[in-house]
Structure formats: structure tokens, C-alpha cells
Amino acid sequence: MSKPVILTGIRANNDLHLGNYFGALLPIISLAKEKAGDYQINLFVPDLHSFTTPIDHDQLYQGIMSSLKTFVAAGLPIDSSDVYIYRQSYIPAHSELTWILDCFTGMGEMQRMTQFKDKSNDLGADRISVGLFNYPVLMAADILLYGAKYVPVGEDQSQHLEFTRDIAERMNNQFGNIFQLPEPVKLQHALVGKDQGLRIKDLQDPTKKMSKSEASGKGAIFLNEDPAEARKKILSATTDSLGHITYDKQNQPGIANLLELLALVSGRELSEVISTYEGQSQYGPLKQELATKVSDLLESFQEKRMNVDENKLLSKLSQSEELMNLQAQETLFKVQQAVGLRK
């Protein structure tokens, strides 16, 4: 395995909505297809990360498998010899390296992490776990075990990637060259693109991005949703009372969101969709076309997901996890030697 590594995570649950689908899932799959051959593509399920905040543990394992099927249904090339899919918890080196890195990480570094601050604000004081506080160290282990050069992350994870570089440099300065550093954030964006697709907005509040946590449940459309229910959500989406269609995110955010979403689900250029509808005085035809396209997409996707060969998926997982264990253990052993745990 001498090729440079691109590493990214696959969500450990199956509640992906259209925003996730177009903004994260499809770009990951495109990256795997385009870069396989020149790179080793590591697509892992961060299942240990999944309960840094409260979840239903009875559903976790099934959620992991459902999520993997979702990626395969969306076109993940699991037949490629350069693509590896594996579960984080099946590679024990992730946990041990995290502990070692913990002992070289300062409390102040973790307290400055924006994600920790943001997520802590959403939880009561008694629900903030050490795991949530410690999350960036485990993420650093995920990256450094495989010498990943590129790690496609959103803006909210860029601070964690910089921490990964900092802790790797710290260890290298003290113990010698044991870690390969990932590229700086600026170069990461140069390879994979800073914008991982349009940020689809909430159907009920188009000033916010689509989210699974929206209280009414009417603002997001999920990949496993009944197409008929999705149609209803589109038809009841918030627009405005201006009575004309213009692509104006500032003054007509609801209409702009529907136009962008229609371009994505129909595979057309946004400019083409805008020219079709701009100037019309009725919003109904736009909503009707979008509702039909979304319904068709969900029906097709859900059929593909039902037909995923689970035995083939499990075989790929087993093969990948065996190889990733070897690769991760090689890095961990170097670290164990460096810190005095091994000869």
C-alpha cells in the first residue's frame, strides 16, 4: 500500500437527508471514483465517534450497516482494489493511539475547540461526556494511523485537522519522524474543493440549512422517507407573497432553495432551471415539478438500496478490515517503540 491516502468518514446512522446526499455523500463517491488508481481511498465508519452525544445504542449496529448500504446504493465503487471500507471499532489501534495522544494533548487545546463549545451548549452539563471533549484526539488517531495525506472535511472540522497536524508535529519533534502529517487545510481544499455541493436549505425555514433536528420534521426530506410524504413536504414548502419567481437568495430564499434543489434532483444546470421559471407569477408549477422529481429520486434510490448485495458488502468489509488492521498496527508499533512501550 504505497499510494498516498485519502481518508474520510461515513456516517454511522441512516438518517441522511437530501442536504447530506448532495452535499456530502455524492461528493465522497465522486472522489472515490475519480481518485482511485492514484490514491488509496479509506472510507471508514466512525462508530466510536457516534456516541460522543446521546444515541439509541440498540439501533447503532443496524444503523451502521444501513449507512453502508446507503453509500453502496449511491454508487460507492466497492469493487475497486484501491477503495477500503472499514469500521473504526474493528481496528483496535484507533483506541490505543488515542490514549497515547491524549497524554500529549493539553486541556486548553481541547477547550478551545469550537465544535465542543457548540455541542456542549445543546446539552445539559451532566450530559457533556469526556468523549465529546476528547473527540478531536480520536479523529487525529483516525488520520495518523494511515498516514493520510488528504482528509476531505467541512469548515466545522478544519480546526480538528489543524490539531491533528499540531499533535503529529509535537510527537515528531520529541520522538523522531513517526507520523506523516496531513496536508494543511488550504491544500486539502485545493484537492477536493472547499464547497462540497450546494447547502440545501430547510423547506420550512429557508434561512437555515436542512437539518434532521428541525422540530416539526417538515423541513427535511430523508432518503428513507415515503415518497408520498416527501411530495407533501415540497408542496407545503415556505415561499413568499411576492407573486413572481426570481432567483434572489436575499429577498426570496424559499424560491431560491426550490430552484437549487430542482437543478440538483433533475441533473440540470441551475441557470437552465432559473430561465425556465424566472418571471412566472405562480409558484405551483415549480413545486409540482420538484415534488415529482424528488419522489422519483427517492423511489429509485430506495429500490437500489433494497437490492444491495449484503454478502458482497460484508465480504468487502472483512477484507478491508483485515488489511487496515495490519496497516494501523504498523504505525501503532512505531509509536509504542517511540514512547518506550516496546523494544
Side-chain angles (χ1 to χ4, degrees):
M1 297 183 187
S2 58
K3 295 178 181 178
V5 175
I6 297 174
L7 179 145
T8 192
I10 295 175
R11 290 165 65 107
N13 54 45
N14 193 38
D15 56 351
L16 296 173
H17 53 63
L18 288 183
N20 303 134
Y21 180 72
F22 287 108
L25 190 152
L26 290 186
I28 287 174
I29 290 170
S30 294
L31 184 72
K33 290 178 177 178
E34 293 168 7
K35 301 300 183 182
D38 296 322
Y39 292 87
Q40 173 182 319
I41 313 295
N42 283 21
L43 301 171
F44 78 105
V45 179
D47 50 358
L48 293 174
H49 287 297
S50 64
F51 47 92
T52 55
T53 53
I55 62 165
D56 182 351
H57 292 270
D58 290 339
Q59 300 298 318
L60 179 57
Y61 184 82
Q62 187 56 45
I64 291 167
M65 297 309 299
S66 294
S67 188
L68 285 166
K69 288 181 181 179
T70 294
F71 272 75
V72 174
L76 183 67
I78 62 173
D79 289 330
S80 171
S81 59
D82 286 324
V83 172
Y84 299 89
I85 57 173
Y86 56 97
R87 294 158 291 190
Q88 183 186 43
S89 68
Y90 281 64
I91 317 292
H94 287 252
S95 299
E96 182 167 350
L97 182 58
T98 298
W99 174 252
I100 294 173
L101 296 180
D102 272 341
C103 296
F104 295 87
T105 299
M107 292 281 289
E109 288 179 291
M110 295 297 96
Q111 289 170 337
R112 289 192 292 272
M113 293 292 162
T114 303
Q115 278 253 304
F116 173 70
K117 294 177 184 177
D118 291 345
K119 291 188 177 183
S120 296
N121 289 336
D122 297 332
L123 299 169
D126 59 337
R127 303 300 298 275
I128 301 172
S129 70
V130 175
L132 180 61
F133 184 74
N134 188 40
Y135 175 99
V137 185
L138 178 54
M139 181 172 167
D142 298 335
I143 296 167
L144 297 175
L145 279 171
Y146 307 97
K149 187 173 184 180
Y150 292 105
V151 188
V153 294
E155 286 295 333
D156 59 343
Q157 297 287 330
S158 295
Q159 191 180 23
H160 296 170
L161 186 57
E162 290 296 353
F163 166 73
T164 299
R165 289 174 49 82
D166 290 344
I167 189 65
E169 281 190 311
R170 186 178 309 152
M171 298 289 285
N172 286 352
N173 289 337
Q174 183 168 349
F175 297 108
N177 188 27
I178 53 177
F179 290 125
Q180 177 178 318
L181 275 64
E183 295 288 2
V185 170
K186 185 176 180 180
L187 292 182
Q188 300 282 347
H189 292 160
L191 176 77
V192 301
K194 183 177 180 180
D195 185 4
Q196 293 190 37
L198 291 168
R199 291 193 177 277
I200 297 174
K201 302 297 184 179
D202 187 282
L203 295 174
Q204 292 299 309
D205 183 357
T207 63
K208 300 177 180 178
K209 70 177 183 178
M210 188 173 286
S211 170
K212 68 177 182 179
S213 60
E214 189 270 326
S216 72
K218 297 179 180 179
I221 293 176
F222 295 89
L223 295 180
N224 58 0
E225 188 163 345
D226 181 345
E229 288 301 314
R231 174 181 285 275
K232 290 178 184 177
K233 288 182 180 180
I234 296 290
L235 295 178
S236 63
T238 296
T239 50
D240 53 61
S241 58
L242 297 179
H244 62 84
I245 292 178
T246 306
Y247 183 67
D248 184 341
K249 290 188 174 185
Q250 187 70 31
N251 297 308
Q252 290 189 278
I255 291 296
N257 188 41
L258 297 181
L259 291 168
E260 290 178 351
L261 187 50
L262 179 57
L264 289 169
V265 298
S266 62
R268 291 144 65 189
E269 292 293 331
L270 178 58
S271 58
E272 179 188 342
V273 173
I274 292 172
S275 66
T276 300
Y277 284 99
E278 196 161 38
Q280 292 191 17
S281 59
Q282 295 184 336
Y283 298 162
L286 170 59
K287 285 187 171 183
Q288 288 287 351
E289 183 183 3
L290 178 57
T292 298
K293 294 292 186 183
V294 168
S295 177
D296 290 346
L297 183 150
L298 293 179
E299 287 182 4
S300 174
F301 182 82
Q302 288 168 12
E303 182 178 359
K304 290 177 182 176
R305 192 180 171 286
M306 284 181 61
N307 292 326
V308 169
D309 187 334
E310 186 166 338
N311 290 329
K312 183 177 179 181
L313 173 59
L314 289 171
S315 176
K316 178 69 173 182
L317 271 176
S318 177
Q319 293 170 16
S320 295
E321 285 163 357
E322 181 178 356
L323 290 168
M324 291 301 99
N325 259 306
L326 292 173
Q327 190 169 351
Q329 190 59 41
E330 184 177 329
T331 301
L332 178 62
F333 185 68
K334 286 170 59 179
V335 177
Q336 289 169 328
Q337 285 182 310
V339 299
L341 294 172
R342 302 288 186 272
K343 278 189 177 181

